[in-house]
Amino acid sequence: MMKRTGLAAAAIVASLLSASMTKAETLADTLTSAYNNSGLLEQNQALLRAADEDVAQAVAATLPVVDWSLRANRTWNNAQPSGDFAVVNSRTLQFNAALTLYDFGVNAFAIESQKEIVLSTRQTLRGIEQDVLLNAVQAYVNVLRDREFVELRQNNVRLITQELRAAQDRFDVGEVTRTDVALAEARLASARSQLASAEGTLAISIEGFRVAVGRAPGTVSAVSPAPVSRNLADARAFAVRNNPSVLEVQHSVAAAELGIRRAEAALGPSVSLNSFVSTDLDSNETVQLGVNVGQTIYSGGALTSQIRQLKANRDSARAGLHLTVLSVEQAVTNAFASLQVARAARQASNEQIRASRVAFQGVREEATLGARTTLDVLDAEQELLDAETNLISAQADEVFASYQLLSALGLLTADHLNLPIQQYDPSVYYNLAKDSPELLSPQGQALERVLEAIGRE
């Protein structure tokens, strides 16, 4: 039964790898595919474009608003001496225009607040980009580690099979007892079980890679840790200045401050210019131009309540900034510690492998001379296997911890890693949209082309 389970797991792994084994896979390939295939990035890029449009709408509030209306009326009245109804038809075409002349900065604060929200949303997108790339690194490392585990377990099965044959040969000539053969058989069964488990874990990692990267992995190759040379103090200070989570909340605090100033400005009067031109069926034209000055005198406390609410939200954002800074510093410390532990574990595992290999070879030679038992050989082989397993895990942990540290520093981006991709430039759409262009204008037509290109992608 155990043998059939192992064969089934091996078949699953083989089927998952068969479509991509012909192409070597580097970490840069993986990160590039993850960036290009990420639906999460596309989703947040669209949310950023929506935030850009809020700036355009805030700018539009400072510009003239022109509209037109056509009214057609039919009136019946019986004011005639004969008592008959008189029917009067009228049509009026009217053009209206309005422009805010002065509002104590309400619209200006609104524009600046929306700009801060755009900057905050850009940092959100940058954080999502880091998450996507870090997940890809984790998927790559998992496949690499689990593939090496499978190879290690396969080699372990071969070695124990050889030991079983040797024990059986020595048993046949009377050098060992049946107990030695049984010990080797038990270890072989355990090795086959662990191989099946390793193959199953590899299959899971391959599927996780497919989800994180958007395709099945090729033949993944060994990768070195990311170069991170800063000490802990420098890393924490740099992360507070550069981590997208911190920058996102900083811009949110700035937007909240501007929102308060906008609400306070709204307590003052506003001055607007209004005009209209109308004409009727008899070509009678009416032109009107006027200036309106107005101010809210009493609103039941709604405006002052809104200011208090905005201040409370501002205080919440400030507290959130403090918590975010602490969280980022903790993330840097954790990643830095994990990296140091993984490096130490890798170095220790190398020494352990060297010593265990010498011991295994010596015990096996001594067993052929009758100075060691089969159990001694199996134990020495198990110690060597454990050392090699520890090394593989330490190498994987070191690579992932180095990229975790890059992420905490805010450097795990396509730009910093020089990935060969067409990066999303958030300023392109913003610069086209910020002045609220009309669809018929050259700027509006350029926006339409950008949206069509994004849709085709």
Side-chain angles (χ1 to χ4, degrees):
M1 179 65 180
M2 187 66 68
K3 188 173 182 179
R4 287 198 298 271
T5 303
L7 290 174
I12 293 174
V13 174
S15 64
L16 289 169
L17 287 173
S18 59
S20 55
M21 286 293 287
T22 57
K23 181 181 181 298
E25 177 93 21
T26 66
L27 181 57
D29 294 333
T30 297
L31 296 178
T32 300
S33 294
Y35 186 97
N36 290 332
N37 298 331
S38 175
L40 188 60
L41 273 175
E42 291 181 1
Q43 179 188 43
N44 282 271
Q45 289 165 2
L47 291 176
L48 177 56
R49 292 194 295 274
D52 293 342
E53 294 297 346
D54 287 334
V55 176
Q57 293 165 26
V59 171
T62 67
L63 302 176
V65 177
V66 181
D67 59 47
W68 65 272
S69 63
L70 177 63
R71 293 192 300 273
N73 299 308
R74 171 170 287 189
T75 305
W76 293 267
N77 63 70
N78 60 353
Q80 302 294 326
S82 63
D84 296 332
F85 281 92
V87 179
V88 178
N89 294 318
S90 64
R91 294 186 182 89
T92 303
L93 176 64
Q94 181 171 309
F95 290 88
N96 302 286
L99 174 65
T100 300
L101 298 178
Y102 187 71
D103 61 1
F104 283 87
V106 172
N107 287 330
F109 287 135
I111 293 171
E112 295 305 314
S113 177
Q114 292 301 331
K115 287 181 178 179
E116 290 294 336
I117 292 175
V118 166
L119 294 175
S120 176
T121 308
R122 287 185 183 181
Q123 294 302 323
T124 301
L125 177 60
R126 186 164 157 246
I128 293 295
E129 178 183 345
Q130 291 207 138
D131 292 341
V132 168
L133 296 180
L134 187 60
N135 287 338
V137 172
Q138 179 72 83
Y140 185 94
V141 168
N142 286 348
V143 171
L144 177 62
R145 178 200 61 205
D146 295 337
R147 187 201 66 184
E148 292 180 345
F149 278 165
V150 168
E151 293 174 352
L152 197 60
R153 294 297 177 185
Q154 290 172 340
N155 187 56
N156 184 43
V157 168
R158 287 192 294 270
L159 283 175
I160 296 180
T161 300
Q162 293 174 3
E163 294 302 326
L164 174 59
R165 290 171 182 169
Q168 184 66 53
D169 292 341
R170 290 196 295 272
F171 172 73
D172 292 340
V173 297
E175 292 182 0
V176 297
T177 66
R178 181 62 189 170
T179 302
D180 294 277
V181 177
L183 284 171
E185 289 175 341
R187 287 291 179 91
L188 180 58
S190 175
R192 286 172 175 166
S193 173
Q194 292 171 346
L195 172 59
S197 176
E199 289 172 337
T201 302
L202 176 57
I204 293 172
S205 295
I206 290 172
E207 189 59 30
F209 185 101
R210 191 193 305 274
V211 172
V213 181
R215 58 171 176 77
T219 305
V220 293
S221 54
V223 59
S224 300
V228 181
S229 59
R230 291 183 174 86
N231 59 43
L232 179 57
D234 290 342
R236 286 163 62 98
F238 182 85
V240 170
R241 298 192 305 270
N242 191 61
N243 187 283
S245 297
V246 175
L247 299 178
E248 173 191 346
V249 182
Q250 287 177 342
H251 287 299
S252 296
V253 172
E257 293 282 3
L258 290 166
I260 294 172
R261 297 178 66 182
R262 178 191 181 191
E264 291 172 342
L267 296 175
S270 63
V271 182
S272 61
L273 177 67
N274 298 279
S275 65
F276 75 86
V277 178
S278 65
T279 182
D280 58 19
L281 288 173
D282 298 325
S283 299
N284 296 318
E285 294 185 356
T286 302
V287 179
Q288 178 177 305
L289 179 65
V291 176
N292 294 336
V293 180
Q295 180 180 7
T296 301
I297 298 176
Y298 179 73
S299 64
L303 294 179
T304 54
S305 174
Q306 183 182 29
I307 293 174
R308 293 193 300 270
Q309 182 185 51
L310 290 170
K311 288 181 177 179
N313 289 334
R314 184 269 319 274
D315 294 342
S316 173
R318 285 177 175 175
L321 176 59
H322 176 67
L323 294 175
T324 301
V325 169
L326 292 177
S327 177
V328 167
E329 289 178 337
Q330 182 184 23
V332 172
T333 302
N334 291 346
F336 199 89
S338 298
L339 181 59
Q340 298 301 317
V341 169
R343 284 174 177 170
R346 173 177 56 79
Q347 294 169 358
S349 295
N350 278 323
E351 291 298 318
Q352 184 183 6
I353 287 174
R354 182 191 60 78
S356 296
R357 182 170 289 116
V358 171
F360 172 63
Q361 292 171 350
V363 169
R364 189 156 62 173
E365 289 296 328
E366 292 170 4
T368 60
L369 300 174
R372 294 283 185 170
T373 65
T374 301
L375 180 59
D376 293 331
V377 176
L378 294 174
D379 287 343
E381 194 276 334
Q382 184 63 47
E383 289 181 2
L384 176 58
L385 175 66
D386 292 342
E388 292 173 336
T389 301
N390 291 339
L391 177 60
I392 292 172
S393 295
Q395 289 172 334
D397 292 343
E398 184 180 4
V399 170
F400 183 65
S402 68
Y403 281 93
Q404 269 189 317
L405 183 54
L406 271 187
S407 178
L409 295 173
L411 297 176
L412 188 58
T413 61
D415 181 60
H416 182 76
L417 298 176
N418 292 320
L419 297 181
I421 57 177
Q422 181 64 43
Q423 297 180 36
Y424 182 80
D425 186 354
S427 64
V428 172
Y429 188 90
Y430 174 81
N431 290 333
L432 288 172
K434 65 179 181 179
D435 295 327
S436 188
E438 295 295 329
L439 289 178
L440 297 179
S441 68
Q443 196 172 5
Q445 293 172 2
L447 264 176
E448 287 296 305
R449 289 193 294 271
V450 169
L451 289 174
E452 289 176 1
I454 293 172
R456 284 196 298 270
E457 291 175 356

